[in-house]
Amino acid sequence: MDNNFNISFLLGGLITGLSVGALCLSTCSCLLLPLFLSKRQNLLKSFFVFLNFSCGRFLAYVTFGVIIGWLGSKISLLPWLNWIIPSSYLIAALLLLSYINKSSHACALEKKSNKKSVPFLLGITTGLNFCPPFVLAATVTIQTKSALWGGLYFFAFFLGTSVYLFPLIFAGALTRWGFWRKIGRTAGIIVGFAYIFFALLNFHSLLYSKKSIDAETIAGPAYKNLNLVDTRKLNVDSHGYAGKTPVIIAVDDSGVISNVFLLENNESKYVVEPVSKWLEQWKNNSMDFLLENVESVDGVSGATMTTDSLRKNLHAAANRFLALKNKSDNQLRTANHGLRITYRFARTVIPFIILFTIAVLVAKISRLQKLWLQFCLWILAVAILGFYRTTFFSIEQVSLLIHGNFPPISNLSWYVVFFMTIISPLFFGRAYCKYVCPFGAATEICYRVIPGNLQLPKSVIKYLRYTKYILLFTVIILMVVFSKIPADKFEPFHSIFTRNQTKIYFMFGLSVLIVSCFIKRFWCNFFCVDGALFEIISRFNKKIPTDETQINDKYI
């Protein structure tokens, strides 16, 4: 390279950093701001935090630039580089959560051994995060085929992007007010757990990828002369209990349905069998008949969410077929369908929100912690959220998200229940587990009503309580490694409140209830993977006791 080209090449890296710095700000600020706001510090301390963070970014940028420049065209032959992205997400999340957790204890702040290296390490993991600006710089650097120029280009790129991050230092001045420190800690905790989720999602996508099979192959040669309506191509906003439930409808030119194929899904096999029989009733009927009756025909008991999802798929498929055939719209039908969706949403979410709100008030206000009021909450949770609407948090929901099976935004009830439950330990402690979880409420009622209670020795409790954490990490690893696992079978809730389960699974849930009659919250305290997840989140709540002498207070 001549001198003029050398200068223009480095200026290109600087200009690239300046031009995409806003994107870099959006990526790095979610990690950097919590470092400034999570604890009280002056402007000078904020500057040193920023300096450590920048040194980590600088080291990661230049090192990566040198490696990319040296590898050049060989970069495509190194598939292990794909693992850098989720690994950096996971490491950054653990470092950030560790930093915030330590900053909540005054005694830890006074120690020189406090996590002063965390900003530097976070800078490294952020520097190795393949955000859009980073990928853009790597695309240019790979063409140099030179370790020296690769490192220099990323150095210039680092300078350009750092201009946008420097003003964040002044956010540290806000930490003199406790309100902003609390916001910083809360934001950092949410970002940390979000990064863990993205890491698991990316790990799973690297280990497993789905291949779509066309409708003709699924239907087979017997239906080659019929019209095949594939709801996978219609972007139907439908979601059963464990993911989407697409179907293919084989229909002749006159509009008579020959068959309905239920495609691959993540629903339990004990739900799929009765649901498949439910679909058979539409065979040899017209599409007009389907549209008129799909909402009124009784669904499958114990599989309400799955049936509702199939209704939406059938409705969309019929509308599509008739629209193509008659070139007519179905606005009135669509409006009525929307009203039914709204009604189902209100019927599911409103009881949950009401019970959850009352539970939070009872948990936070000591004057409301009356036994009769607690019993009312437990009975309502079992009756409404358990048997009537079957609405509760399940580790199966986490499995769906890790597998990339996001419910459509129209299924707001799924998101409301999930996020209200999983975020609540950060603000309200274990209110959900104490009063709202229908299975936990059932075990509490059994323990209170039936005499002959047993107390386990503290030495047994001390070690037995780690079992649920082992189960939680086991099921998460299985979620990442395998495309489909029966995550719901790690918890007994479905055996009691969901029909069409095997006798063995039902006996498992019943045996847990029987043992809970004598040992308080036997499953919740020692084996519940949901409770383990909530307890990990609740540890970031400052009011959570950490003294070993308060071990029994950690139980529900």
Side-chain angles (χ1 to χ4, degrees), residues 18 53 55 62 82 88 148 175 238 245 254 306 315 325 333 343 405 424 470 472 521 529 543 552 556:
L18 290 171
F53 183 83
C55 288
V62 173
N82 295 328
S88 63
L148 175 62
T175 59
S238 67
T245 56
S254 63
T306 307
H315 189 279
K325 181 180 179 182
R333 290 192 181 103
Y343 171 70
N405 296 320
S424 64
I470 297 174
L472 174 63
R521 299 259 186 172
V529 292
K543 295 182 180 181
N552 288 333
I556 303 167

Side-chain angles (χ1 to χ4, degrees), residues 322-427:
L322 294 176
L324 292 175
K325 181 180 179 182
N326 303 322
K327 296 183 178 181
S328 61
D329 59 30
N330 297 284
Q331 293 181 355
L332 181 60
R333 290 192 181 103
T334 303
N336 292 335
H337 184 62
L339 289 175
R340 293 188 184 97
I341 293 174
T342 304
Y343 171 70
R344 291 196 191 101
F345 168 78
R347 191 172 60 174
T348 301
V349 172
I350 290 179
F352 180 85
I353 293 178
I354 292 175
L355 283 178
F356 193 91
T357 303
I358 297 175
V360 170
L361 294 175
V362 172
K364 291 295 182 180
I365 302 176
S366 57
R367 289 181 297 177
L368 296 179
Q369 294 176 3
K370 306 295 184 181
L371 185 59
W372 67 268
L373 183 56
Q374 292 176 337
F375 259 98
C376 289
L377 279 174
W378 293 329
I379 293 173
L380 289 174
V382 173
I384 298 177
L385 303 184
F387 292 107
Y388 176 59
R389 293 306 300 168
T390 314
T391 305
F392 48 81
F393 180 89
S394 172
I395 197 67
E396 178 72 18
Q397 293 176 290
V398 179
S399 177
L400 292 177
L401 296 181
I402 291 178
H403 292 161
N405 296 320
F406 294 90
I409 194 64
S410 62
N411 193 1
L412 288 176
S413 58
W414 192 97
Y415 287 101
V416 169
V417 172
F418 178 79
F419 284 108
M420 282 188 65
T421 305
I422 203 168
I423 294 177
S424 64
L426 191 59
F427 302 99

Side-chain angles (χ1 to χ4, degrees), residues 30-31 33-35 37-38 92-104 181-197 422-427 533-542 544:
C30 61
L31 287 175
L33 278 175
L35 295 182
L37 297 177
S38 60
L94 296 178
L95 289 171
L96 180 61
L97 292 174
S98 174
Y99 183 86
I100 291 175
N101 189 42
K102 292 295 183 181
S103 67
S104 64
R181 293 199 301 272
K182 184 178 293 186
I183 288 181
R185 291 187 70 255
T186 303
I189 293 168
I190 294 175
V191 168
F193 281 102
Y195 269 43
I196 291 177
F197 162 71
I422 203 168
I423 294 177
S424 64
L426 191 59
F427 302 99
L533 178 61
F534 298 149
E535 192 165 315
I536 290 174
I537 297 174
S538 68
R539 288 181 184 276
F540 293 92
N541 187 326
K542 287 186 178 182
I544 297 298

Side-chain angles (χ1 to χ4, degrees), residues 249-258 260 281-294 314 318 321-322 325 333:
I249 299 181
V251 55
D252 60 22
D253 292 335
S254 63
V256 177
I257 301 172
S258 297
V260 181
Q281 67 183 308
W282 305 109
K283 294 170 62 175
N284 302 319
N285 288 301
S286 67
M287 283 292 203
D288 289 313
F289 176 82
L290 187 150
L291 278 175
E292 293 173 0
N293 297 277
V294 68
L314 294 174
F321 175 80
L322 294 176
K325 181 180 179 182
R333 290 192 181 103

